[in-house]
Amino acid sequence: MSKSAEQKINAIVIGAGGVGVVTAYSLYHNGVAEVSLVTRSDYDHVVEFGYKLESCDYGQIDSWKPHNVYKTVEDASAAEKFFDYIIVTTKNIPDGPKDSTVHAILKPVIESNHELDPKKLTNVVLVQNGIDIEKEVLEHFEKSTYNLCLLSGVQLIASTKVGPGHVVQKGKDNVSFGSFDKTDEVAVEQAKKLASIYHNEGHNTGAFDDNVRRTRWNKLLYNAAINTTTALVGLDVSRCFEFASKKESTEFGIFRPAMQEIAAIAASENIAIDEDLIEFFNEEVRNIMYKPSMCVDVENGRLMELEILLGNPIRTAKANGVQTPTLCLLYNLLILVQNKLKEQKKLIEFNEETLKLVV
Amino acid sequence: MSKSAEQKINAIVIGAGGVGVVTAYSLYHNGVAEVSLVTRSDYDHVVEFGYKLESCDYGQIDSWKPHNVYKTVEDASAAEKFFDYIIVTTKNIPDGPKDSTVHAILKPVIESNHELDPKKLTNVVLVQNGIDIEKEVLEHFEKSTYNLCLLSGVQLIASTKVGPGHVVQKGKDNVSFGSFDKTDEVAVEQAKKLASIYHNEGHNTGAFDDNVRRTRWNKLLYNAAINTTTALVGLDVSRCFEFASKKESTEFGIFRPAMQEIAAIAASENIAIDEDLIEFFNEEVRNIMYKPSMCVDVENGRLMELEILLGNPIRTAKANGVQTPTLCLLYNLLILVQNKLKEQKKLIEFNEETLKLVV
């Protein structure tokens, strides 16, 4: 079946940073989907000039406009469109400002979908890092009431917004889509369909993933051990390896113990982590000059994705009786950094007279 | 015996920051000692104008000059004076620049003393933080050859140099002096003598300490657990307590475990830590708005006293088979921060092409 013979689907991408814009373009590229994009800060620019993309996957595109551009999710919900796929590419910070949490972002469009057609399937696609991120959505929206499929997207890409409406993509885009619940056959079919729409042969890669949780736990090896450490010490990955005592204390005193604890938590959830990945992350990653996201966030005074990368696995460990001393200490330190960032952003207030948080 | 009846002693203070200047003034105050001070950066100013002291112990002093001022330890050694007490008030960073290590600072004056009178006693007084700091001195100077007494000074004071030759002391000065080796009777007597010279009734406190190692291990409870943590997260002590998860993860997930490990190492050295101090540090210190030294050092791009506060106790733990997972992880993280500071100060060089340290 050719793609053009498929029924036109309606997709909205929420989160128009360097990653979200390329994600939207990839969906747009093969002409099967009507693509909407929510962009608050670049709205006026994009409506007038469109996006300038410099993409290793698609070449240079001087003025691209999605089919629809909205300034807010509320505006999108007011457009009276049913969105088959609601794709979230924002950072996932459940402890951040209330209006930026994933469930708050989703609320207007999930509800407008429900009003427009309560029988039709709404796919919520979380193209985000971390583990157990689907739980927040399910806590706020009853699956059967809203006729939801919860899909996972794990993305590898290097793309940065360098100016208003200007995105430079340097690393090829590769997204694996799957159903958070692998026993949910309807969602599995929806994930396969989305992967096929997303994939543009010769350009990017969209693939179906039949075991989303394993994929996410695998990726957590890196994020819970390495991403976290770089955020605490403010160094890229190569320097973390090289600046170690005897050039080995980072690997053997932080990274590997933290990764083994992640593997133990995964095992307690009946997920067998690929142990080769632990070797890969310690043998190969040191040779790539790279500053992970949490480190960059701290440097830029932005909140970190701490809870979905470290808080959630630690909570699972506690529930399952798995000892995680390394992860816990990293978390206990990083929660202080997160709150330092929150104070800088005036999300919390510390009273220097009483020495207490102002509630 | 009145102090004036004692034989005049010759003391040199090396390290003329906010603390060192008050230390020199306290020695000077009762007229028993001839006091020399080494100050590189303020030398010209002090020779011309003297020091301006605003001291909670001594009131305001507009122009105080020590008996002798030297720009360098080499200049002091060339003065052909025998220094009975060589008092070091610099930071102690054995992994820092070679010419700033304690043994390098001591060398010229220990050697000139030896040349002037090899039979006379030289007291080396380390008014510095940390544990096992006397070992570096003994490794470089044979005790019997140089006729050395190694004395310890543990100081409580809040004093800051606010400008050239201008020191503001806000917290009262209290130094306990003792012999690092409590079985060395000669050194014990020298420590008692120094305490009596240093003490100025109604002003400061100089006291004799008969168990220096216990005092230093006690103080390490604070420095190895709290000082280190604040340096990693860049927050004062009160915020570290208050920003914790459920307001308790810092105390129960970092501070107390780290302190218990310090107590266990001390116990392996037959030193009984005062457990009340663990309660004190967790109950009282949270109520004092204070940014510890390592945190301030990181903020100012200065190297931390990491090895004497954390490296040394961890090495003792390893030698004695004591498990210290919390301290080790803090150390493995802080060594990365220390090397980041070293790179900033161009003490080490990282090649971003090879991703290796340049040796």
Side-chain angles (χ1 to χ4, degrees), chain B residues 6 45 82 105 107-108 111 131 157 170 181 189 194 243 258 269 274 318 321 351 357:
Chain B
E6 291 173 22
H45 181 97
F82 190 97
I105 285 171
K107 193 168 193 283
E111 289 186 345
I131 200 79
I157 188 174
K170 291 195 172 171
D181 177 1
E189 284 314 304
L194 179 58
F243 284 2
E269 296 270 287
D274 187 350
K318 276 194 185 141
N351 184 322
L357 279 168

Short mmCIF file of all heavy atoms in Angstrom, two decimals, chain B residues 6 45 82 105 107-108 111 131 157 170 181 189 194 243 258 269 274 318 321 351 357:
data_model
loop_
_atom_site.label_atom_id
_atom_site.label_comp_id
_atom_site.label_asym_id
_atom_site.label_seq_id
_atom_site.Cartn_x
_atom_site.Cartn_y
_atom_site.Cartn_z
N GLU B 6 59.15 36.04 80.54
CA GLU B 6 59.56 34.93 79.67
C GLU B 6 60.58 35.42 78.64
O GLU B 6 60.61 36.60 78.30
CB GLU B 6 58.35 34.36 78.92
CG GLU B 6 57.37 33.63 79.83
CD GLU B 6 56.10 33.25 79.09
OE1 GLU B 6 56.14 33.16 77.84
OE2 GLU B 6 55.07 33.06 79.77
N HIS B 45 52.05 47.82 50.47
CA HIS B 45 51.05 48.57 51.24
C HIS B 45 51.35 48.50 52.74
O HIS B 45 51.30 49.52 53.44
CB HIS B 45 49.66 48.00 50.94
CG HIS B 45 48.56 48.72 51.65
ND1 HIS B 45 47.82 49.70 51.05
CD2 HIS B 45 48.11 48.62 52.93
CE1 HIS B 45 46.95 50.19 51.93
NE2 HIS B 45 47.10 49.54 53.07
N PHE B 82 66.47 33.20 63.53
CA PHE B 82 65.98 31.88 63.89
C PHE B 82 64.53 32.02 64.35
O PHE B 82 64.23 32.77 65.28
CB PHE B 82 66.82 31.25 65.00
CG PHE B 82 66.48 29.81 65.22
CD1 PHE B 82 67.24 28.79 64.63
CD2 PHE B 82 65.37 29.44 65.98
CE1 PHE B 82 66.91 27.46 64.82
CE2 PHE B 82 65.02 28.11 66.15
CZ PHE B 82 65.80 27.12 65.58
N ILE B 105 56.50 25.69 51.09
CA ILE B 105 56.47 26.96 51.82
C ILE B 105 57.43 26.93 53.01
O ILE B 105 58.08 27.92 53.34
CB ILE B 105 55.02 27.20 52.33
CG1 ILE B 105 54.12 27.65 51.18
CG2 ILE B 105 55.00 28.22 53.45
CD1 ILE B 105 52.66 27.69 51.57
N LYS B 107 60.16 25.01 53.42
CA LYS B 107 61.55 24.65 53.14
C LYS B 107 62.55 25.76 53.44
O LYS B 107 63.52 25.54 54.20
CB LYS B 107 61.65 24.19 51.67
CG LYS B 107 62.95 23.48 51.30
CD LYS B 107 62.79 22.82 49.92
CE LYS B 107 63.92 21.84 49.64
NZ LYS B 107 65.17 22.49 49.25
N PRO B 108 62.38 26.97 52.88
CA PRO B 108 63.42 27.99 53.09
C PRO B 108 63.65 28.30 54.58
O PRO B 108 64.80 28.40 55.01
CB PRO B 108 62.86 29.22 52.36
CG PRO B 108 61.91 28.67 51.35
CD PRO B 108 61.31 27.46 51.99
N GLU B 111 65.16 25.34 56.58
CA GLU B 111 66.59 25.17 56.25
C GLU B 111 67.44 26.31 56.80
O GLU B 111 68.57 26.08 57.25
CB GLU B 111 66.76 25.01 54.74
CG GLU B 111 66.23 23.64 54.29
CD GLU B 111 66.49 23.33 52.83
OE1 GLU B 111 66.82 24.28 52.08
OE2 GLU B 111 66.36 22.15 52.46
N ILE B 131 43.03 16.37 58.19
CA ILE B 131 43.60 15.27 58.98
C ILE B 131 44.89 14.80 58.31
O ILE B 131 45.01 14.87 57.08
CB ILE B 131 42.57 14.12 59.12
CG1 ILE B 131 42.91 13.22 60.30
CG2 ILE B 131 42.45 13.30 57.84
CD1 ILE B 131 42.51 13.77 61.64
N ILE B 157 37.34 31.09 63.88
CA ILE B 157 37.45 32.54 63.69
C ILE B 157 36.62 32.89 62.46
O ILE B 157 36.40 32.05 61.59
CB ILE B 157 38.92 32.98 63.49
CG1 ILE B 157 39.06 34.51 63.51
CG2 ILE B 157 39.50 32.41 62.22
CD1 ILE B 157 40.51 35.00 63.46
N LYS B 170 35.03 39.36 62.31
CA LYS B 170 33.67 39.43 62.87
C LYS B 170 33.41 38.36 63.92
O LYS B 170 32.54 38.51 64.77
CB LYS B 170 32.63 39.33 61.76
CG LYS B 170 32.61 40.56 60.86
CD LYS B 170 31.35 40.62 60.01
CE LYS B 170 31.27 41.96 59.27
NZ LYS B 170 30.19 41.97 58.27
N ASP B 181 51.89 14.62 67.76
CA ASP B 181 52.23 13.37 68.45
C ASP B 181 52.10 13.63 69.95
O ASP B 181 52.96 14.28 70.56
CB ASP B 181 53.67 12.98 68.08
CG ASP B 181 54.12 11.73 68.83
OD1 ASP B 181 53.31 11.17 69.62
OD2 ASP B 181 55.28 11.33 68.63
N GLU B 189 55.15 20.43 75.55
CA GLU B 189 55.54 21.63 76.30
C GLU B 189 55.55 22.86 75.39
O GLU B 189 55.14 23.95 75.79
CB GLU B 189 56.93 21.44 76.94
CG GLU B 189 56.89 20.55 78.18
CD GLU B 189 55.76 20.93 79.13
OE1 GLU B 189 55.70 22.11 79.56
OE2 GLU B 189 54.90 20.06 79.42
N LEU B 194 53.15 27.96 73.52
CA LEU B 194 52.57 28.77 72.44
C LEU B 194 51.15 29.20 72.80
O LEU B 194 50.77 30.36 72.58
CB LEU B 194 52.57 27.97 71.13
CG LEU B 194 51.98 28.69 69.92
CD1 LEU B 194 52.70 30.01 69.63
CD2 LEU B 194 52.02 27.79 68.68
N PHE B 243 16.35 22.63 51.17
CA PHE B 243 16.02 22.27 49.78
C PHE B 243 15.94 20.76 49.58
O PHE B 243 15.72 20.28 48.47
CB PHE B 243 17.08 22.84 48.82
CG PHE B 243 16.95 24.33 48.56
CD1 PHE B 243 15.99 25.08 49.20
CD2 PHE B 243 17.80 24.97 47.66
CE1 PHE B 243 15.88 26.46 48.95
CE2 PHE B 243 17.69 26.34 47.40
CZ PHE B 243 16.73 27.08 48.06
N ALA B 258 27.60 10.23 55.78
CA ALA B 258 29.00 10.64 55.63
C ALA B 258 29.66 10.78 57.00
O ALA B 258 30.80 10.34 57.20
CB ALA B 258 29.09 11.95 54.86
N GLU B 269 41.04 4.01 63.91
CA GLU B 269 42.31 4.60 64.36
C GLU B 269 42.30 4.77 65.89
O GLU B 269 43.10 5.54 66.43
CB GLU B 269 42.50 5.98 63.71
CG GLU B 269 42.63 5.95 62.20
CD GLU B 269 44.09 5.80 61.77
OE1 GLU B 269 44.84 6.78 61.90
OE2 GLU B 269 44.46 4.69 61.33
N ASP B 274 33.07 12.12 69.16
CA ASP B 274 31.99 12.57 70.03
C ASP B 274 30.67 12.54 69.25
O ASP B 274 30.41 13.38 68.42
CB ASP B 274 32.32 13.99 70.50
CG ASP B 274 31.36 14.50 71.53
OD1 ASP B 274 30.33 13.84 71.76
OD2 ASP B 274 31.64 15.57 72.10
N LYS B 318 40.66 3.02 53.51
CA LYS B 318 41.09 1.90 52.66
C LYS B 318 42.14 1.06 53.36
O LYS B 318 42.07 -0.17 53.36
CB LYS B 318 41.65 2.45 51.34
CG LYS B 318 40.54 2.72 50.34
CD LYS B 318 41.08 2.95 48.93
CE LYS B 318 39.91 3.35 48.02
NZ LYS B 318 40.25 4.37 47.05
N GLY B 321 40.47 -0.98 56.02
CA GLY B 321 39.35 -1.84 55.62
C GLY B 321 37.99 -1.32 56.06
O GLY B 321 37.08 -2.10 56.35
N ASN B 351 43.24 18.31 26.10
CA ASN B 351 43.26 18.47 24.65
C ASN B 351 41.92 18.03 24.07
O ASN B 351 41.55 16.86 24.16
CB ASN B 351 44.40 17.63 24.07
CG ASN B 351 44.53 17.82 22.56
OD1 ASN B 351 43.54 17.95 21.85
ND2 ASN B 351 45.77 17.85 22.09
N LEU B 357 44.20 14.37 28.80
CA LEU B 357 45.01 15.35 29.51
C LEU B 357 46.37 15.43 28.86
O LEU B 357 46.94 14.41 28.45
CB LEU B 357 45.17 14.93 30.98
CG LEU B 357 44.00 15.25 31.91
CD1 LEU B 357 44.18 14.53 33.24
CD2 LEU B 357 43.89 16.76 32.14
#
